[in-house]
Amino acid sequence: MQATDPIIAFSRVNKWYGHFHVLRDIDLDVARGERIVICGPSGSGKSTLIRCINRLEEHQQGVLKVDGVELSDDLKAIEAIRRQVGMVFQQFNLFPHLTVLENLTLAPMWVGKVPKKEADERAMQQLARVRIAEQAAKYPLQLSGGQQQRVAIARALCLTPKIMLFDEPTSALDPEMIKEVLDVMIELANQGITMLCVTHEMGFARSVADRVIFMDQGQIVEQNTPAEFFSHPKSERTKDFLSKILAH
Amino acid sequence: MEAPSKPFRWSWRSAKFRALVYQIAAVLLVVAAGWYLVHNTLANMRVRGIQSGYDFLRQPAGFAISESLFEFDSSETYFRAFLIGLSNTLRVAIVGIVLATLLGALIGIGRLSRNFLIRSLCGAYVETFRNVPLLLQLFMWYFILTELLPPIDEALQPIPHVFFSKNGLQYPIPVWALDHVWVAAGALVGCVGAWAWRRFARHRREASGSAPPVVLPALAIVLAGGFVGWLAGGAPSALDFPEKTEITVVGGGAVTPEFLTVLVGLTLYTASYIAEIVRGGIQAVAHGQHEAAAALGLARSQEVRLVLLPQALRVIIPPITSQYLNLTKNSSLAVAVGYPDIVSISTTTLNQTGRAIEAISIVMLCYLTMSLLTATIMNWYNRRAAIRER
Amino acid sequence: MSTITHGYQLIPPRAPPVATEGVLPWLRRNLFSDWKNALGTLVIAALLAVFVPRLFDWAVVNAVARPDNAACRAIGHAGACWGVVAEKYRLILFGRYPYAEQWRPLLATTLMIVLLAASCYRPFWKQWLIALWVVVAAAFFVLMRGGVLGLTPVETARWGGFPLTMMLSTIGLGTAFPLSILVALGRRSRMPGIRTLCVLYVELIRGVPLISVLFMASFMFPLFMPAGMTIDVLLRVQVGITLFSAAYLAEVVRGGLQAVPRGQVEAAASLGLTYWQTTRKIVLPQALRIVVPAIMNTFIGTFKDTSLVTIVSLYDLTGALQLALGDSDWRKFFLEGQLFVAAIYFVCCFAMSRYSRWVERHLNTGARRN
């Protein structure tokens, strides 16, 4: 495997929910360190696409390779991939019965077999990175939404993943908290990690993304650099979508 | 500086005044009603020549009790009779609680199984036992255990030395010798050892990352401790086996069909409620928690132990405690099948001495104490385990 | 690396390569998804294949349906003796009510059941329903008691069977429900006197078994009455059941009251509504809607609990069964009689729990937020 090989490779990937054809002939290569924003109307399959990458969803047809390992029913392969892929959810999904610090050290200790001291140090480092180190002893439900999402980002980073997936990370937040989370994500993006982000925040896409992908009805309609994508959309469908979300 | 106090206005337009009036009226009403009832009661008791007072507890009971953990004959006092009744209630309640929890947890988890047959059978179990009154179920079990089983001279022997007949269940029991204390002591040492192993395992894990196994070694240590204690006590192995003679079965330990009826009926009935509580608790944990745990790479067993169970138990424990209390209160139905629990003893006493108020009040006091104890433990648990929020 | 897509063509949806809908995929997913599952399925299927035909033989094929004692004894354990039901059903269903007058409890119970079923239907939830209930309740008592309209009087001690179960449950719950709302409101009141009284009532009753309450009603109520005045046993027991159910319902309603957001009360206060107006029009409708499942569970529990009046010698459905099978001729076939009565309870309770789920679904469509 060479360093120039794509870190994620979709090859004619198809997925069905029952009879509903939710992902259609997805061909996508993601290079190392590339930052991608995926947008599109709801129901277009964007979340399903990134959830296939860490096998939270299973694809039925096609080949999906992550860091050279093909995703299939092989449990060992899935475990290995999940150690390299971190995910941040729309609903944060922090563990409410554990403190912030315990949320972060759980996976390194039990999956990564890291000693407690080292896990604690790593956790504090990540908390400092997302600028929330003073809340380490609090419980998740004692924090605001923006703080909880930053903790969730820190939790995903504790396993030092090569890829970070973001599934609409700011959609459940009040407007005044969106900025603090986006700032953290921009800092992360500038540090060289591979990122796939499903979001409606087009400002973020313009400032950070290497590529913007527009999906509709389960297929990739258009992909381009942000500059080209926003100023010269190629297809009618894209123009229609952009007019709706950029209107105000 | 404190806020200035407001003057109390004697007017119907003041909320405080109204509240005072309502409360005084309510309390006066209740006190008046209470005084009326007490007055009537005393008058009635005088007319009927009923004596009152709890001194009857020191008198000899004059009736026998069909089964008890301790010795009792009719010359013992009523007080001792009530104690025996209480011990019988606790005996069937504690065994019932343990069995019902195990069975209920299994069935509750079975209802979430992927296998359609297991799901349906567990669902059918819950619906069947929840929709029929407990009293009717007790009558049915009593009928099965006393009419449909063979009489004692033709007792069934499902396992060697265990006899099952209309007269109950008879099984081998170790002969009590002082040496048995060594077994208990050994098991206790084993428990301490198991606790020490747990602490050691946790230290290893935190220090180096690799987690040594905990559950099986701990169990092995307790059993080993008991075994060593048994050896140290001279390995007492005398067992009292029930022997089948021509007309009956002698020897061994025994439980009556009444005890079995109450135990089986209570267990199966309460297990169906516990199953629903366990299922609800597991389903109450948001699906997002499973996804987050999976995304972090936790194995299923780790996820269940570290994420699912702590959250599910917080939802399960309060209602399950009230089910335990219900089971204890439902054991009072034992009076219908002749098991001498505390309600049954109190009814006999009431019939013999005519002291209705005293007898019923003793029973109510016992149950109220048990309820209060359970509620206190539950509140303590809730405060300790509550998920801290803003 | 940017890939520019030229020309976008809609990819039409296709059928999945491996079907996930349909009988075979369902079987695979639910019964044979992995080896543990498959093993479980085979074991259970084998057990069912052994026991179900035997059960069927006992209950249907070899069963005796005629009320023929000799035939039942002849068939012994090989077949069920449903003849015991055919022989004793009137005693089981109506208790010791005089044989010739049993059309009266039948009519009374039917009226009550019809009205219950009608009350379940949402368009009927109007004012005149309550008036109708009062009328039917009065009719019930007139029919059962007699003494007027040319009906022979039947004393309450002879009332029994299913009509007694229905009466104790329906009237018990009908009176307990308003009482429980008052007690729940009282428990949340800011006046310490009222709150203490309500707390004492609820905790006292909930801490003791129903049997104690029934014994108290049976043995102690007569002592509470002025000398010479006697109360009917049935009335005493009915009061006991009502007080017991009201305590449990009060806890359920209190849970609902706690779940209504404080903002609702504040909004009502800012509009100038009084306490009782707020409670009646704003708080209670929302509170009750939230706890419908728990209320229905308590109703089902009370329906089953009426069986305990057997212990104080009132012959409801369960008690009448004991009475009917005291007959030594039919004693061996008690189990079939018990199954019959269990089936009646099962049907009633199961119907109530299904209705509860329906109510939950339909009442909350208005309250559902996105």
Side-chain angles (χ1 to χ4, degrees):
Chain A
M1 240 208 72
Q2 291 175 307
T4 50
D5 281 351
I7 196 169
I8 304 178
F10 281 79
S11 200
R12 279 199 71 103
V13 169
N14 282 282
K15 179 175 167 62
W16 285 265
Y17 280 133
H19 280 300
F20 178 54
H21 196 175
V22 61
L23 287 178
R24 306 182 193 181
D25 293 339
I26 303 284
D27 281 304
L28 179 64
D29 283 341
V30 178
R32 287 167 200 284
E34 193 177 359
R35 293 139 327 169
I36 297 191
V37 165
I38 307 177
C39 61
S42 67
S44 55
K46 348 185 262 295
S47 288
T48 314
L49 183 87
I50 66 167
R51 285 153 70 97
C52 284
I53 296 175
N54 70 349
R55 202 73 175 169
L56 283 180
E57 301 282 356
E58 295 175 8
H59 60 280
Q60 277 92 24
Q61 209 176 58
V63 174
L64 172 53
K65 282 201 191 160
V66 174
D67 202 14
V69 179
E70 183 180 337
L71 275 172
S72 63
D73 282 328
D74 181 358
L75 289 173
K76 287 284 179 227
I78 297 176
E79 274 173 38
I81 285 172
R82 283 181 176 165
R83 277 196 281 269
Q84 301 301 328
V85 177
M87 183 152 190
V88 175
F89 300 86
Q90 183 179 357
Q91 301 294 338
F92 331 137
N93 289 341
L94 293 176
F95 303 131
H97 58 294
L98 303 173
T99 62
V100 162
L101 191 68
E102 286 165 354
N103 260 275
L104 265 68
T105 57
L106 182 73
M109 286 207 292
W110 290 90
V111 178
K113 308 258 192 256
V114 170
K116 184 164 187 314
K117 246 180 106 194
E118 199 185 312
D120 281 348
E121 274 167 20
R122 252 202 254 175
M124 289 309 292
Q125 267 172 13
Q126 299 303 335
L127 286 178
R129 198 170 167 186
V130 300
R131 291 194 289 275
I132 205 169
E134 70 280 3
Q135 311 283 6
K138 292 250 183 88
Y139 284 86
L141 294 177
Q142 291 173 312
L143 305 175
S144 73
Q147 290 171 320
Q148 288 186 52
Q149 193 62 299
R150 285 189 279 151
V151 170
I153 295 176
R155 179 176 66 172
L157 289 172
C158 267
L159 288 165
T160 54
K162 292 188 185 142
I163 303 169
M164 280 289 276
L165 304 175
F166 292 86
D167 188 359
E168 304 212 34
T170 55
S171 298
L173 295 175
D174 295 333
E176 68 266 20
M177 298 191 214
I178 294 181
K179 182 179 184 311
E180 66 191 62
V181 176
L182 285 181
D183 284 343
V184 167
M185 286 167 67
I186 292 173
E187 260 182 50
L188 219 58
N190 290 332
Q191 284 162 9
I193 199 168
T194 312
M195 270 171 70
L196 274 90
C197 189
V198 173
T199 185
H200 298 299
E201 297 290 327
M202 292 300 128
F204 174 77
R206 263 196 255 257
S207 62
V208 152
D210 293 319
R211 205 186 345 164
V212 177
I213 296 179
F214 173 65
M215 279 184 73
D216 189 19
Q217 291 186 39
Q219 63 181 104
I220 295 179
V221 173
E222 189 169 330
Q223 43 185 324
N224 218 326
T225 60
E228 280 299 306
F229 183 82
F230 288 113
S231 47
H232 301 119
K234 298 269 179 313
S235 111
E236 280 310 309
R237 194 63 201 85
T238 319
K239 288 185 193 154
D240 191 38
F241 177 73
L242 283 176
S243 72
K244 288 203 187 105
I245 60 165
L246 293 176
H248 50 92
Chain B
M1 199 186 122
E2 269 189 14
S5 60
K6 290 200 293 211
F8 183 83
R9 288 194 305 160
W10 290 90
S11 143
W12 192 243
R13 294 169 71 150
S14 154
K16 273 207 222 167
F17 178 73
R18 267 199 233 189
L20 198 62
V21 168
Y22 287 150
Q23 288 179 84
I24 292 183
V27 171
L28 276 180
L29 196 66
V30 170
V31 166
W35 181 84
Y36 180 67
L37 292 179
V38 169
H39 175 80
N40 282 338
T41 311
L42 291 176
N44 280 325
M45 281 167 63
R46 231 183 337 216
V47 164
R48 296 184 204 193
I50 304 175
Q51 293 148 314
S52 70
Y54 288 90
D55 49 320
F56 75 97
L57 286 172
R58 274 192 280 254
Q59 295 164 0
F63 61 87
I65 300 182
S66 60
E67 66 177 289
S68 70
L69 281 176
F70 314 105
E71 293 294 314
F72 184 86
D73 62 58
S74 54
S75 67
E76 303 267 9
T77 61
Y78 280 111
F79 183 69
R80 197 176 156 79
F82 273 106
L83 279 183
I84 303 268
L86 189 59
S87 76
N88 278 340
T89 297
L90 289 175
R91 186 158 68 112
V92 78
I94 292 176
V95 180
I97 284 176
V98 169
L99 292 178
T101 309
L102 289 172
L103 183 61
L106 280 176
I107 295 184
I109 295 172
R111 283 207 67 172
L112 296 170
S113 161
R114 257 205 274 170
N115 188 314
F116 172 73
L117 284 177
I118 296 182
R119 252 193 343 249
S120 312
L121 283 176
C122 291
Y125 174 91
V126 169
E127 290 299 325
T128 311
F129 283 93
R130 278 206 316 182
N131 287 325
V132 179
L134 179 58
L135 189 60
L136 188 59
Q137 292 185 38
L138 286 180
F139 282 147
M140 286 169 88
W141 288 113
Y142 193 61
F143 181 72
I144 293 175
L145 288 174
T146 54
E147 297 274 339
L148 296 185
L149 284 179
I152 195 164
D153 46 330
E154 301 162 20
L156 299 171
Q157 223 192 45
I159 335 173
H161 298 297
V162 173
F163 294 95
F164 200 23
S165 70
K166 261 191 231 204
N167 292 53
L169 186 69
Q170 274 140 318
Y171 46 87
I173 199 172
V175 172
W176 174 255
L178 209 56
D179 305 324
H180 284 285
V181 178
W182 286 100
V183 178
L188 211 62
V189 171
C191 284
V192 174
W195 177 78
W197 172 255
R198 247 191 87 202
R199 284 193 59 155
F200 168 73
R202 206 173 72 196
H203 274 265
R204 273 301 287 292
R205 176 170 54 80
E206 292 183 358
S208 78
S210 67
V214 177
V215 178
L216 286 177
L219 208 61
I221 292 178
V222 175
L223 288 173
F227 183 65
V228 166
W230 181 72
L231 284 177
S237 58
L239 280 177
D240 186 5
F241 288 102
E243 291 292 329
K244 192 160 176 331
T245 66
E246 286 239 335
I247 47 168
T248 185
V249 173
V250 282
V255 283
T256 58
E258 286 80 17
F259 177 82
L260 282 176
T261 305
V262 178
L263 183 66
V264 170
L266 282 177
T267 302
L268 294 177
Y269 182 76
T270 314
S272 67
Y273 283 91
I274 291 183
E276 281 300 280
I277 292 172
V278 168
R279 179 176 75 103
I282 296 179
Q283 285 182 321
V285 180
H287 188 60
Q289 295 288 302
H290 163 73
E291 299 203 326
L296 286 171
L298 289 171
R300 180 75 184 153
S301 65
Q302 289 170 327
E303 178 194 331
V304 167
R305 189 156 40 123
L306 299 167
V307 175
L308 181 65
L309 226 45
Q311 293 185 67
L313 279 177
R314 280 168 169 87
V315 177
I316 288 176
I317 300 234
I320 234 185
T321 323
S322 77
Q323 281 306 319
Y324 289 168
L325 207 54
N326 277 347
L327 189 148
T328 315
K329 286 190 284 179
N330 283 339
S331 69
S332 59
L333 267 68
V335 67
V337 294
Y339 177 68
D341 77 316
I342 195 169
V343 171
S344 173
I345 304 275
S346 122
T347 313
T348 318
T349 308
L350 192 157
N351 284 328
Q352 263 186 229
T353 63
R355 313 254 177 133
I357 301 181
E358 288 82 354
I360 296 179
S361 66
I362 292 177
V363 169
M364 287 175 86
L365 192 67
C366 287
Y367 279 109
L368 275 175
T369 314
M370 289 191 265
S371 302
L372 207 64
L373 220 70
T374 316
T376 316
I377 295 178
M378 247 283 302
N379 281 337
W380 169 82
Y381 172 81
N382 264 343
R383 257 197 310 270
R384 230 185 64 134
I387 288 186
R388 261 148 273 191
E389 304 191 16
R390 282 223 255 202
Chain C
M1 182 182 108
S2 59
T3 319
I4 303 166
T5 332
H6 293 282
Y8 146 65
Q9 275 200 320
L10 176 64
I11 303 173
R14 302 195 293 272
V18 177
T20 46
E21 314 274 310
V23 178
L24 230 51
W26 181 91
L27 281 176
R28 210 171 332 130
R29 216 179 20 239
N30 280 298
L31 294 174
F32 300 105
S33 59
D34 58 8
W35 70 267
K36 281 187 289 216
N37 231 349
L39 190 64
T41 307
L42 289 175
V43 167
I44 295 179
L47 286 173
L48 288 176
V50 165
F51 285 113
V52 171
R54 273 201 224 171
L55 194 63
F56 189 68
D57 279 340
W58 178 83
V60 181
V61 173
N62 296 334
V64 173
R66 308 180 311 278
D68 185 344
N69 200 332
C72 276
R73 282 175 192 275
I75 203 92
H77 282 286
C81 175
W82 301 117
V84 72
V85 173
E87 169 84 10
K88 300 271 181 182
Y89 76 94
R90 284 181 78 147
L91 191 51
I92 296 176
L93 286 178
F94 297 110
R96 294 186 307 157
Y97 210 85
Y99 201 79
E101 307 283 332
Q102 278 180 357
W103 63 270
R104 283 159 53 187
L106 181 62
L107 179 60
T109 316
T110 316
L111 276 176
M112 200 175 255
I113 294 184
V114 164
L115 190 57
L116 266 175
S119 306
C120 296
Y121 189 45
R122 195 164 180 176
F124 287 166
W125 293 353
K126 304 246 186 336
Q127 299 282 44
W128 49 260
L129 191 62
I130 303 190
L132 199 55
W133 264 106
V134 174
V135 167
V136 167
F140 184 90
F141 278 114
V142 163
L143 278 170
M144 293 288 286
R145 193 80 175 77
V148 294
L149 300 178
L151 299 167
T152 53
V154 177
E155 70 264 24
T156 58
R158 295 191 69 115
W159 297 10
F162 193 61
L164 186 64
T165 301
M166 284 297 306
M167 184 191 110
L168 288 172
S169 325
T170 323
I171 297 187
L173 289 169
T175 38
F177 196 53
L179 179 62
S180 71
I181 294 181
L182 289 174
V183 172
L185 290 171
R187 211 177 149 156
R188 283 175 46 91
S189 154
R190 275 195 293 255
M191 299 184 257
I194 307 241
R195 197 172 56 229
T196 320
L197 285 174
C198 293
V199 167
L200 278 178
Y201 165 66
V202 171
E203 293 305 322
L204 211 73
I205 299 275
R206 273 170 32 111
V208 297
L210 178 55
I211 283 210
S212 299
V213 176
L214 289 179
F215 277 158
M216 209 176 73
S218 258
F219 293 111
M220 283 165 65
F221 279 13
L223 292 173
F224 291 161
M225 290 298 120
M229 183 166 139
T230 51
I231 316 187
D232 202 51
V233 168
L234 193 54
L235 182 60
R236 280 183 253 151
V237 165
Q238 178 75 81
V239 169
I241 291 185
T242 301
L243 288 178
F244 191 77
S245 315
Y248 282 84
L249 276 175
E251 277 303 279
V252 172
V253 172
R254 184 171 78 105
L257 291 173
Q258 277 177 329
V260 175
R262 241 175 55 128
Q264 298 289 306
V265 178
E266 295 179 346
S270 69
L271 288 169
L273 296 175
T274 68
Y275 172 78
W276 287 108
Q277 283 171 333
T278 315
T279 307
R280 226 183 47 206
K281 294 209 175 298
I282 312 284
V283 175
L284 272 184
Q286 293 186 56
L288 293 177
R289 205 168 282 170
I290 294 174
V291 289
V292 157
I295 291 183
M296 287 302 296
N297 268 341
T298 319
F299 281 11
I300 296 177
T302 304
F303 183 74
K304 290 187 297 175
D305 283 344
T306 55
S307 58
L308 264 69
V309 302
T310 310
I311 303 188
V312 287
S313 307
L314 276 178
Y315 297 107
D316 75 312
L317 195 53
T318 314
L321 178 67
Q322 301 287 97
L323 204 58
L325 289 158
D327 185 347
S328 61
D329 270 349
W330 293 95
R331 189 161 181 74
K332 281 186 60 136
F333 311 109
F334 216 155
L335 195 62
E336 286 83 340
Q338 285 166 333
L339 286 173
F340 170 63
V341 169
I344 296 179
Y345 277 112
F346 184 83
V347 164
C348 293
C349 294
F350 194 69
M352 281 194 267
S353 68
R354 287 289 131 173
Y355 176 65
S356 153
R357 287 199 212 166
W358 179 87
V359 166
E360 211 187 327
R361 253 198 327 261
H362 285 249
L363 272 190
N364 277 328
T365 33
R368 203 171 289 154
R369 280 180 257 111
N370 269 332

